[in-house]
Amino acid sequence: MLAAADLSSGDEFSHRVIAKCLPELLLREARQYKPASWESSLCKFWGCQGLPTFKSDPREEHGRSREWSDVQSEAWADRRVREGVRFAKAGDHLTAMKYYETAMELWPDHKDALVARGAALANDGKFTAAIASFDRALNVDPGDTNASKYREVTLRRLRKWQDEERRSAGATQSKVATKARAAAR
């Protein structure tokens, strides 16, 4: 259900809804009252060549409601990402991650949610999962500079961590071998 807070005047969601639905609503109203006089003025305003016909085909109506649902879901996902970023900036990465996950439930291919989630995973030391998230964002938008940049930084951090692990494992094996030789003497 749509909350009043989701329809505030400065909200991106409201602007999308208005831009998407207002022309169609105005045209429908025009047809109900004074088609001849309204048609010419609306067409001048909107720059169209005449009023489109609106069919009452249920499949078409379902398509419009599906389109509306997609617009609504994407707008809500945008909001969740913004809220998640706010929590991340405040240092609450766990809550931020929950908001990113919610955004991706609403809009699975939300590029900004994928990038933000990848950054949160990288900050948590989950480099492989972070890189997978960045890769998915790049599949959605191959030209996304943030996803590319963060992916490269995370890949470098992963390699550095792997190198440190190898050195640490090598040093541990060397100490164990030295102790074994000392014990054998």
Side-chain angles (χ1 to χ4, degrees):
M1 180 167 197
L2 200 56
D6 291 327
L7 294 175
S8 65
S9 61
D11 192 5
E12 181 180 339
F13 173 73
S14 301
H15 296 286
R16 282 191 192 175
V17 170
I18 290 169
K20 195 110 171 137
C21 301
L22 187 59
E24 185 174 329
L25 294 173
L26 287 173
L27 291 172
R28 283 186 183 192
E29 288 295 314
R31 289 196 141 215
Q32 288 178 1
Y33 298 107
K34 298 179 185 176
S37 63
W38 280 83
E39 181 175 347
S40 61
S41 61
L42 281 174
C43 284
K44 284 179 189 174
F45 182 74
W46 293 108
C48 58
Q49 299 299 318
L51 288 174
T53 57
F54 295 104
K55 300 175 184 172
S56 61
D57 183 357
R59 290 173 299 192
E60 193 174 300
E61 288 298 319
H62 175 72
R64 278 194 204 109
S65 66
R66 186 130 184 95
E67 186 177 305
W68 166 256
S69 177
D70 287 348
V71 169
Q72 188 177 25
S73 293
E74 187 177 12
W76 286 348
D78 287 343
R79 174 172 276 176
R80 297 306 173 270
V81 171
R82 287 192 309 268
E83 291 168 348
V85 168
R86 197 178 67 227
F87 279 105
K89 286 181 178 179
D92 189 355
H93 299 288
L94 184 62
T95 303
M97 183 65 88
K98 289 177 184 176
Y99 276 95
Y100 304 146
E101 295 293 336
T102 302
M104 290 176 19
E105 286 173 16
L106 291 165
W107 194 258
D109 288 333
H110 195 287
K111 175 188 67 166
D112 295 332
L114 290 164
V115 172
R117 178 177 173 260
L121 288 166
N123 287 332
D124 199 24
K126 299 175 182 173
F127 302 121
T128 307
I131 291 169
S133 191
F134 295 134
D135 287 342
R136 193 166 152 205
L138 288 168
N139 283 336
V140 172
D141 180 4
D144 186 275
T145 56
N146 279 338
S148 297
K149 178 178 69 174
Y150 290 140
R151 184 186 187 283
E152 290 305 314
V153 169
T154 304
L155 199 54
R156 283 195 303 268
R157 287 178 64 192
L158 173 63
R159 289 180 185 141
K160 182 179 177 183
W161 177 79
Q162 288 172 336
D163 288 343
E164 289 172 1
E165 286 293 309
R166 277 190 226 114
R167 277 191 234 120
S168 173
T172 302
Q173 288 176 352
S174 176
K175 287 179 184 177
V176 169
T178 304
K179 286 183 181 179
R181 282 193 294 262
R185 293 184 205 170

